[in-house]
């Protein structure tokens, strides 16, 4: 029997040793297939036009801009904006191996080719399109919708075509996932048909950055010139969309009746657009086709402004025009007096066939995007307002959890990650979001954090699980065992969690902590504590 | 532990509300630890007049839409009445459903509105409407009653969140445009410790972690906006409040394990009953608004049985809440509101259920500043819709105006919303017939 036991122990030791060897090996730094970084002449021209506009604003407001941020800080911003998480240690190493000249351009391209970009951007955009609720049972397939959107983004489908599908597509919600834009509004308790008013509200806000919801019930009494009729005439474009056993289809000639405020009786509402009427095709296709053509018409600039403003906001945490879905059509905006950066970006976007990836590359290349959020001179809210310093913005809950997970792994968590890792992450994400509070459609709120959020980060399961002694899963444990000396260990922890190296003062403090016996602990515990502090500081929870 | 206390700053109370735990513990010297906090507060309230004490609200939220016909507004013998019988109450001339016998005994402490109307028949929209007094507006999120109350009243002496939701529904009370620091703190069955509250490591290690945090915070603030913490992130302030809460004696109020069994039994041995008991403890500790949710009222099928079961849970907990608050001299400064999204259809559907009905339903109120023993209106015995023109018809916003004015909040005050639009605290008019000093 004892021989059997020894044999079992020996076998187990061999298995564990090989497992440990595999786990403890430092992350591989491989040269990925380098996407070619091509910067065309007109790309540079547009970038310079944008930069010139910002510089003009800084000069006129007598604001001394903050210096350019360091590469790792900018890389963190790009990563949070495009994938919803911070870069991995593996990626930081790859990035730092690149020549300095094309490092950031390469990084943007690298992420745009990564499935995480499609998935994350699709999730963010889908909130504007269909909200965050699960929607009508069976006929609304949110997962299918977001996956479809992600596919379109990965393929870099021209944004006007993508939008046309959302507005005008017909068919089943499963094999024509774009129709979920329509089915998301199907009224479950009442008519069982798409809600034309909700669709009018969503189309104008999501695709035109115009809020006309207010005139649904009455004419604008806050100084605008929109009428209640404008809203319902736009809604009337959806009157023929109906929900049937073959999915969403259009029933020609179906009328839309509405009783306006103070009216005696219902009237038949014609389909008409509230502005740029000359861009609407008089005939051809369904009503929804005509509306889609009008919305995405290259001359209908609110369309391009809306997506430029939203992509800027997703990438930085703050839109150029606030709120993100309300770019005025009148006042100074009517005269083309837009905030710095918006107009050149919009013109470039239209001129390049509504190319979202190019738009993202352009934004990331601008001086405004690359300003530091700190300086040797005094920075104020005015600097942030004018993008003379990078605005410090709160990370969304899903960015927080994405970053916790990434920081706890030395290698990159992406589509290639182990299925078990993905499953665990999926379960934990849902639980964490529920407790932390999903930001919902209220995407760019500037509120500070709440007490339950702080408690969740300080004492909650996720941070505890992702920092505790665990050779297999947790970077903190692996760093504590692998790092050749304390300085390297602390530096690695900082890179993993804050995407930067520690300052001298920080390095001294944490190395002392590792060497001190003041609080009884072992090395693994010390690294758990360092990770806890790094994940609980302001710097981790904010984009900067 | 109060490492960032200075950042909290004075919160400008200056009222007699200052007879808080800290003062009492100071004055009570060494014996104070012998006496539970709630008793200290009760003893204190005997010494001082309760006039001028900050007021509080307990919202008993009936998730799903309770049937007015099986609760507050029975119509036995009529086609719409179903199987429900009516019983007398302690208010002459007022009968309520026999599903709520204990509540019938305390009706003289309450005001009952039986002609409430709204325009929202969808759960989410109607919840929003009832909890904020506004219909959903895609351009902004309105604050709920609790958020407004916390915004308007001082936080002095309260070391725990002042807006709490017990068994939060899918649409919890929010701070809306006032900021998410006014969102309700969510909790569940008040037995055992609150999740995320106990620290995960021994105290000396936790203290060392906080010292590590100090180093990182000081690095981050260097060279950045001087008012970053104060006007934007509030990060250190939140850490401080969270650590204060973790070590505060006041967290005992979140737990009812120590309450004598006979008291618990009065509230009913249900999660909702325990939630209501906890709500009374929280109010005594200085929490300004507690919402306790009782789910299960969405009875599209098998209406009578399901409504009766829910009404049974409500009956014990509601009557005990009122009695308990009164015994402890807290009813005068606590408004208890009991209501849900909407009522249910007079017509019983083929599945023996009732559907959504915002055209005439009931809301009950009791306590601080609300007239006792009054009832207004009734739904139509033949099941016709109540309209705003119907006698005693009440709009949702009028209920909000009534509560706010009873709490002493200036309902004509405008808030400036983030999009630069002035927004009144509420749009309605106080219902003069149920305001005590009207």
């Amino acid at each position: 029997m004892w021989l059997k036991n020894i044999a079992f122990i020996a076998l187990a030791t061999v298995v564990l040793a090989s497992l440990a060897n595999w786990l403890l090996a430092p992350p591989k730094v491989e040269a990925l297939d380098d996407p070619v970084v091509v910067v065309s002449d007109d790309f540079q021209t547009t970038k310079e036009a944008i930069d010139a506009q910002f510089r003009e604003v800084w000069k006129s407001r007598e604001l001394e801009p903050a210096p350019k941020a360091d590469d790792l800080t900018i890389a963190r911003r790009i990563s949070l904006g495009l994938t919803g998480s911070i870069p991995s240690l593996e990626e930081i190493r790859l990035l730092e191996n690149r020549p300095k000249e094309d490092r950031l351009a390469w990084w943007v391209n690298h992420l745009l080719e990564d499935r995480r970009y499609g998935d994350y951007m699709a999730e963010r955009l889908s909130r504007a399109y269909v909200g965050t609720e699960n929607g009508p049972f069976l006929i609304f397939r949110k997962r299918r919708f977001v996956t479809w959107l992600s596919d379109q983004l990965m393929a870099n489908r021209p944004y006007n075509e993508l939008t046309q599908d959302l507005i005008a597509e017909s068919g089943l919600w499963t094999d024509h996932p774009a129709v979920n834009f329509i089915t998301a509004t199907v009224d479950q308790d009442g008519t069982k048909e798409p809600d034309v008013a909700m669709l009018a509200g969503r189309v104008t806000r999501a695709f035109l950055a115009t809020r006309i919801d207010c005139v649904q019930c009455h004419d604008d009494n806050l100084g605008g010139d929109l009428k209640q009729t404008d809203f319902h005439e736009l809604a009337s474009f959806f009157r023929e969309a109906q929900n049937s056993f073959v999915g969403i289809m259009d029933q020609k000639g179906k009328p839309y009746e509405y009783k306006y405020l103070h009216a005696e009786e219902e009237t038949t509402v014609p389909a008409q657009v509230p502005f740029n009427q000359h861009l609407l095709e008089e005939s051809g296709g369904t009503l929804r086709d005509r509306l889609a053509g009008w919305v995405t018409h290259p001359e209908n600039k609110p369309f391009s402004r809306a997506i430029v403003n939203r992509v800027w906001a997703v990438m930085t945490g703050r839109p150029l025009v606030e709120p993100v879905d309300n770019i005025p059509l009148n006042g100074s905006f009517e005269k083309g007096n837009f905030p710095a950066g918006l107009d050149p970006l919009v013109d470039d976007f239209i001129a390049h066939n509504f190319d979202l990836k190019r738009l993202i590359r352009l934004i990331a290349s601008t001086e405004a995007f690359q300003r530091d959020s700190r300086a040797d001179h005094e920075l104020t809210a005015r600097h942030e307002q004018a993008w003379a310093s990078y605005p410090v913005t709160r990370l969304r809950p899903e960015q927080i959890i994405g970053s916790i997970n990434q920081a706890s792994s030395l290698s990159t968590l992406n589509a290639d990650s182990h299925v078990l890792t993905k499953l665990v992450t999926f379960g934990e994400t849902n639980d964490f979001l529920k407790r932390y509070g999903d930001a919902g459609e209220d995407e760019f709120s500037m509120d500070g954090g709440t007490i339950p959020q702080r408690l969740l980060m300080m004492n909650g399961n996720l941070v505890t699980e992702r920092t505790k002694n665990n050779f297999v899963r947790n970077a903190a444990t692996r760093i504590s065992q692998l790092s050749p000396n304390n300085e390297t260990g602390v530096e690695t922890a900082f890179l993993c969690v804050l995407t930067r190296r520690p300052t001298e003062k920080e390095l001294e403090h944490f190395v002392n902590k590792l060497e001190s016996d003041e609080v009884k602990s072992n090395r693994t515990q010390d690294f758990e504590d360092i990770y806890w502090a790094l994940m609980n500081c302001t710097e981790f929870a904010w984009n900067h | 532990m109060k490492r960032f206390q200075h950042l909290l700053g004075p919160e400008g109370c200056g009222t007699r509300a200052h007879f808080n735990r800290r003062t009492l513990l100071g004055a009570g010297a060494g014996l104070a630890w012998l006496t539970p906090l709630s008793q200290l507060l009760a003893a204190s309230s005997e010494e001082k007049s309760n006039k001028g004490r900050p007021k509080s609200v307990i919202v008993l939220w009936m998730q799903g839409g309770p049937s007015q016909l099986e609760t507050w507004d029975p119509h036995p013998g009529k086609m719409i009445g179903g199987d429900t019988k009516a019983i007398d109450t302690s208010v002459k001339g007022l009968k309520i459903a026999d599903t709520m016998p204990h509540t019938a005994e305390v009706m003289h402490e309450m005001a009952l509105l039986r002609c409430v109307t709204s325009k929202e028949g969808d759960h989410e929209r109607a919840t929003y409407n009832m909890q904020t007094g506004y219909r959903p507006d895609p351009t902004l999120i309105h604050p709920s009653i609790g958020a407004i109350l916390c915004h308007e009243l001082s936080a002095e002496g309260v070391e725990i969140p002042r807006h709490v939701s017990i068994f939060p529904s899918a649409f919890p009370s929010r701070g809306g445009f006032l900021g998410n620091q006014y969102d309700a703190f969510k909790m569940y069955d008040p037995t055992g410790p609150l999740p995320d509250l106990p620290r995960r490591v021994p105290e000396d290690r936790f203290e060392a972690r906080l010292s590590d945090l100090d180093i990182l915070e000081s690095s981050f603030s260097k060279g950045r906006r001087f008012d970053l913490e104060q006007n934007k992130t509030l990060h250190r302030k939140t850490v401080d409040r969270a650590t204060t809460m973790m070590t505060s004696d006041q967290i005992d109020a979140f737990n009812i394990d120590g309450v004598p069994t006979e008291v618990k039994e009065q509230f009913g041995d249900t999660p909702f009953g325990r939630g209501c008991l906890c709500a009374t403890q929280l109010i005594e500790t200085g929490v300004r608004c507690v919402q306790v949710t009782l789910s299960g009222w969405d009875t599209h099928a098998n209406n009578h049985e399901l409504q009766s079961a829910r009404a049974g849970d409500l009956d014990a907990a509601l009557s005990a809440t009122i009695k308990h608050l009164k015994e402890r001299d807290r009813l005068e400064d606590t408004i208890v509101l009991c209501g849900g999204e909407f009522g249910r259809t007079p017509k019983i559907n083929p599945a023996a259920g009732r559907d959504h009905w915002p055209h005439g339903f009931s809301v009950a109120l009791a306590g601080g500043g609300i007239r006792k023993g009054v009832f207004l209106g009734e739904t139509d015995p033949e099941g016709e819709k109540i309209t705003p023109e119907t006698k005693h018809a009440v709009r949702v916003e009028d209920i909000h105006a009534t509560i706010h004015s009873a709490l002493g909040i200036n309902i004509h005050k405008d808030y400036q919303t983030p999009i630069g639009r002035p927004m009144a605290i509420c749009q309605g008019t106080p219902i003069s017939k149920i305001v005590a000093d009207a």
Side-chain angles (χ1 to χ4, degrees):
Chain A
M1 186 54 119
W2 61 270
L3 261 178
K4 212 171 158 185
N5 285 345
I6 287 180
F8 176 75
I9 291 167
L11 184 67
T13 313
V14 170
V15 171
L16 282 175
S18 33
L19 185 67
N21 184 44
W22 172 65
L23 287 172
L24 299 183
K28 282 179 285 177
V29 179
E30 289 174 353
L32 299 181
D33 291 342
D34 290 358
V36 183
V37 181
V38 180
V39 179
S40 58
D41 286 350
D42 63 350
F43 183 95
Q44 201 57 28
T45 312
T46 305
K47 171 187 149 37
E48 278 161 17
I50 299 165
D51 290 344
Q53 288 196 346
F54 279 107
R55 279 194 218 123
E56 184 60 38
V57 170
W58 302 334
K59 196 175 156 198
S60 68
R61 297 188 195 173
E62 295 176 343
L63 294 169
E64 187 186 344
K68 184 181 180 225
D70 62 78
D71 284 351
L72 283 185
T73 301
I74 300 170
R76 180 181 187 263
R77 291 173 192 167
I78 295 170
S79 186
L80 283 166
L82 299 185
T83 70
S85 104
I86 53 174
S88 67
L89 181 64
E90 183 183 30
E91 288 174 315
I92 292 171
R93 302 288 191 219
L94 280 171
L95 186 75
E96 293 195 324
N97 278 347
R98 297 289 310 181
K100 209 163 171 28
E101 310 80 70
D102 79 337
R103 191 177 281 172
L104 291 171
W106 171 82
W107 178 235
V108 177
N109 280 336
H110 167 69
L111 294 181
L112 287 176
E113 295 306 314
D114 190 311
R115 185 75 203 191
R116 287 176 295 166
Y117 154 68
D119 291 349
Y120 181 67
M121 193 60 88
E123 185 62 44
R124 296 294 297 265
L125 292 180
S126 73
R127 287 167 184 237
Y129 301 158
V130 295
T132 52
E133 297 303 320
N134 288 329
F137 184 57
L138 279 183
I139 55 168
F140 176 57
R141 295 296 176 88
K142 184 161 186 200
R143 211 55 259 158
R144 289 279 296 147
F145 181 69
V146 176
T147 307
W148 171 82
L149 205 49
S150 175
D151 290 343
Q152 310 303 304
L153 294 169
M154 289 313 294
N156 205 24
R157 179 112 180 272
Y159 187 66
N160 57 337
E161 292 178 17
L162 189 160
T163 307
Q164 285 159 12
D165 279 0
L166 291 169
I167 297 175
E169 182 79 299
S170 302
L172 271 179
W173 33 93
T174 43
D175 62 351
H176 291 83
V179 301
N180 284 290
F181 176 73
I182 306 284
T183 61
T185 69
V186 167
D187 177 4
Q188 291 182 96
D189 296 331
T191 62
K192 316 273 187 207
E193 292 295 345
D195 184 329
V196 295
M198 197 183 270
L199 284 165
R202 287 211 166 133
V203 161
T204 45
R205 287 173 68 137
F207 302 125
L208 301 168
T210 305
R211 293 183 174 189
I212 67 168
D213 321 57
C214 285
V215 295
Q216 181 180 347
C217 308
H218 51 76
D219 293 349
D220 192 342
N221 49 19
L222 289 168
D225 53 7
L226 283 171
K227 302 267 182 281
Q228 198 187 1
T229 47
D230 289 325
F231 182 92
H232 292 280
E233 285 171 2
L234 186 79
S236 185
F237 279 99
F238 290 101
R239 68 181 190 236
E240 294 179 346
Q242 73 172 102
N243 181 29
S244 70
F245 67 95
V246 289
I248 295 295
M249 53 177 286
D250 297 277
Q251 186 196 344
K252 275 273 179 199
K254 191 176 160 202
Y256 172 43
E257 310 277 349
Y258 188 76
K259 188 177 159 197
Y260 287 112
L261 186 68
H262 307 309
E264 291 289 314
E265 52 195 42
E266 285 188 342
T267 48
T268 305
V269 184
Q272 186 51 272
V273 291
F275 53 86
N276 280 345
Q277 285 88 353
H278 63 288
L279 302 178
L280 179 70
E281 291 288 339
E282 290 197 357
S283 60
T286 62
L287 279 174
R288 289 193 292 141
D289 285 330
R290 287 175 60 214
L291 179 67
W294 173 78
V295 167
T296 61
H297 196 288
E299 288 174 43
N300 198 16
K301 284 208 178 174
F303 171 64
S304 299
R305 280 178 205 138
I307 188 66
V308 166
N309 200 34
R310 187 169 290 275
V311 171
W312 183 285
V314 170
M315 288 179 68
T316 62
R318 210 191 85 195
L320 286 166
V321 184
E322 292 178 279
V324 69
D325 54 4
N326 192 15
I327 304 178
L329 295 167
N330 45 27
S332 68
F333 287 76
E334 204 169 19
K335 297 173 199 136
N337 193 5
F338 294 100
L342 185 64
D343 229 13
L345 279 167
V346 165
D347 288 342
D348 187 89
F349 185 62
I350 297 169
H352 289 86
N353 197 26
F354 305 92
D355 180 341
L356 275 176
K357 287 192 176 179
R358 180 184 164 98
L359 171 66
I360 288 166
R361 288 189 193 102
L362 256 178
I363 291 174
S365 76
T366 60
E367 281 185 16
F369 185 85
Q370 300 193 356
R371 290 290 110 195
D372 208 335
S373 58
R374 57 188 166 180
D376 290 336
H377 57 274
E378 188 181 295
L379 294 180
T380 63
R382 290 180 64 238
H383 286 82
E384 277 196 358
Q385 198 53 43
W387 301 88
S389 67
Y390 192 81
V392 178
T393 56
R394 192 160 71 100
L395 296 187
R396 315 314 309 156
E398 64 278 4
Q399 288 174 312
I400 296 270
I401 188 171
S403 299
I404 293 172
N405 282 324
Q406 185 54 76
S408 66
S409 167
L410 299 180
S411 50
T412 312
L413 297 178
N414 56 17
D416 300 331
S417 301
H418 195 280
V419 66
L420 274 180
T421 307
K422 284 196 269 188
L423 267 178
V424 170
T425 307
F426 180 73
E428 285 174 343
T429 301
N430 286 343
D431 185 49
F432 183 88
L433 284 180
K434 191 175 156 206
R435 306 288 304 285
Y436 197 86
D438 194 316
E441 287 174 74
D442 186 17
E443 283 249 90
F444 304 103
S445 135
M446 285 296 125
D447 279 341
T450 64
I451 292 174
Q453 287 172 351
R454 227 22 34 227
L455 287 170
L456 183 64
M457 290 296 288
M458 294 200 298
N459 305 323
N461 273 336
L462 185 72
V463 173
T464 307
E465 284 298 316
R466 292 283 75 84
T467 55
K468 73 177 187 188
N469 188 348
N470 182 335
F471 278 109
V472 181
R473 183 70 165 87
N474 289 345
T477 315
R478 294 174 74 181
I479 294 169
S480 75
Q481 303 302 323
L482 289 170
S483 50
N485 54 52
N486 291 340
E487 283 79 4
T488 314
V490 171
E491 182 182 293
T492 312
F494 268 73
L495 282 171
C496 283
V497 190
L498 299 183
T499 324
R500 68 168 173 91
R501 292 180 171 77
T503 63
E504 263 180 51
K505 192 177 161 194
E506 288 166 338
L507 188 63
E508 189 188 332
H509 172 85
F510 287 106
V511 169
N512 279 344
K513 180 187 177 81
L514 289 167
E515 288 166 0
S516 148
D517 288 330
E518 214 171 285
V519 177
K520 201 165 177 257
S521 64
N522 57 42
R523 190 177 165 79
T524 314
Q525 272 181 13
D526 283 339
F527 270 93
E528 187 182 332
D529 289 349
I530 293 172
Y531 250 68
W532 182 94
L534 293 172
M535 285 182 177
N536 269 287
C537 68
T538 315
E539 190 172 344
F540 181 72
W542 291 72
N543 199 354
H544 48 81
Chain B
M1 235 19 191
K2 313 287 184 290
R3 58 195 348 98
F4 305 123
Q5 193 69 51
H6 64 283
L7 287 166
L8 290 169
E11 301 226 11
C13 174
T15 69
R16 279 173 288 177
H18 282 187
F19 63 92
N20 57 22
R21 181 185 63 87
R22 214 177 284 280
T23 324
L24 287 167
L25 289 180
L31 289 178
W33 61 274
L34 288 171
T35 318
L37 170 65
S38 52
Q39 287 178 28
L40 279 172
L41 284 164
S44 168
S45 64
E46 282 165 17
E47 291 161 20
K48 304 211 175 196
S49 156
N50 61 18
K51 292 273 182 205
R53 280 200 305 219
K55 293 191 175 182
S56 310
V57 174
I58 294 177
V59 178
L60 305 184
W61 181 250
M62 306 296 110
Q63 173 74 25
S67 166
Q68 67 283 6
L69 296 158
E70 274 74 30
T71 52
W72 303 105
D73 194 9
H75 285 274
K78 298 282 180 189
M79 184 75 87
I80 66 168
D83 299 331
T84 304
K85 296 182 178 59
I87 53 171
D88 287 329
T89 67
S90 56
V91 175
K92 196 177 170 192
L94 173 63
K95 286 176 185 280
I96 63 171
D98 62 346
T99 50
M100 305 209 296
H102 295 99
T103 307
E105 293 169 15
V106 293
M107 282 312 297
H108 60 283
E109 298 286 356
M110 305 178 74
L112 181 58
L113 307 170
R114 300 202 288 193
C115 278
V116 183
T117 66
S118 89
K119 292 180 177 167
E120 301 296 350
D122 163 81
H123 290 292
E124 182 174 7
R125 292 180 62 87
T127 302
Y128 185 100
N129 187 209
M130 286 294 288
Q131 294 190 355
T132 66
Y134 281 87
R135 296 178 70 191
D137 175 342
T139 59
L140 82 173
I141 299 169
H142 298 90
S144 63
I145 296 174
I148 292 174
L149 200 50
C150 292
H151 186 266
E152 295 298 310
L153 296 179
S154 155
E156 187 69 24
V158 187
E159 296 172 339
I160 56 179
R162 295 174 301 141
H163 184 196
V164 176
S165 178
I166 304 179
F167 307 114
S169 72
F171 322 114
S173 297
R174 295 182 64 178
F177 62 69
L178 293 179
N180 61 359
Q181 66 267 41
Y182 294 103
D183 285 357
F185 179 86
K186 299 174 198 168
M187 61 173 285
Y188 297 85
D189 209 330
T191 56
L194 275 182
D196 305 334
L197 209 56
R199 53 170 194 268
R200 297 288 187 132
V201 292
E203 191 175 349
D204 56 346
R205 213 174 135 195
F206 191 77
E207 284 290 333
R209 284 179 167 191
L210 291 175
S211 304
D212 296 343
L213 204 50
D214 285 352
I215 298 287
L216 297 169
E217 292 303 335
S218 118
S219 290
F220 187 66
S221 60
K222 203 172 172 189
R224 291 202 162 85
R225 265 175 64 174
F226 68 97
D227 61 343
L228 192 62
E229 163 68 23
Q230 198 185 346
N231 287 336
K232 197 159 190 179
T233 65
L234 308 172
H235 192 92
R236 285 185 281 177
K237 185 173 179 173
T238 319
V239 168
D240 192 54
R241 284 192 166 159
T243 48
T244 301
M245 180 178 170
M246 284 164 62
T247 54
S248 170
D249 296 343
Q250 294 179 359
I251 59 172
D252 292 347
F254 288 110
N255 181 291
I256 60 154
D257 289 347
V259 176
T261 313
E262 60 269 25
V263 176
K264 285 184 195 165
E265 281 171 357
Q266 286 169 14
F267 284 79
D269 186 20
T270 61
F272 180 68
R274 291 191 285 275
C276 288
L277 174 53
C278 179
T280 64
Q281 291 189 166
L282 289 166
I283 293 296
E284 284 193 60
T285 313
V287 171
R288 296 277 75 91
C289 180
V290 187
Q291 178 169 314
V292 194
T293 301
L294 176 59
S295 303
W297 296 94
D298 196 17
T299 53
H300 290 282
N302 196 14
N303 178 73
H304 185 75
E305 197 176 311
L306 294 173
Q307 289 281 334
S308 300
R310 293 288 77 75
D313 293 349
L314 171 64
D315 183 45
L318 170 61
S319 55
T321 302
I322 289 171
K323 285 180 196 161
H324 196 73
L325 288 171
K326 191 168 171 66
E327 281 162 15
R328 299 171 88 83
D329 188 30
R330 303 302 300 202
L331 190 57
E332 281 309 301
D333 47 37
T334 307
I335 291 181
V336 180
L337 164 74
C338 177
E341 299 98 301
F342 32 61
R344 306 207 77 83
T345 43
K347 192 176 169 191
I348 298 174
N349 68 26
R354 294 187 193 270
D355 303 316
H356 302 179
W357 183 255
H359 314 290
F361 57 103
S362 304
V363 168
L365 293 142
I370 300 292
R371 184 171 285 176
K372 299 173 179 182
V374 289
F375 58 102
L376 296 182
E378 61 170 353
T379 49
D380 184 88
E382 303 307 320
E384 292 299 313
K385 289 180 181 178
I386 301 294
T387 67
E389 289 72 40
T390 308
K391 192 178 177 193
H392 295 312
V394 164
R395 300 172 306 163
V396 172
E397 52 267 40
D398 296 334
I399 300 175
H400 282 257
T402 307
I403 293 172
H404 287 307
S405 51
L407 293 168
I409 291 172
N410 175 9
I411 60 167
H412 302 297
K413 179 176 169 181
D414 274 345
Y415 285 133
Q416 195 69 21
T417 66
I419 57 170
R421 184 166 140 200
M423 181 64 61
I425 284 184
C426 63
Q427 297 169 306
T429 312
I431 309 159
S432 57
K433 289 190 172 64
I434 67 158
V435 179
D437 48 6

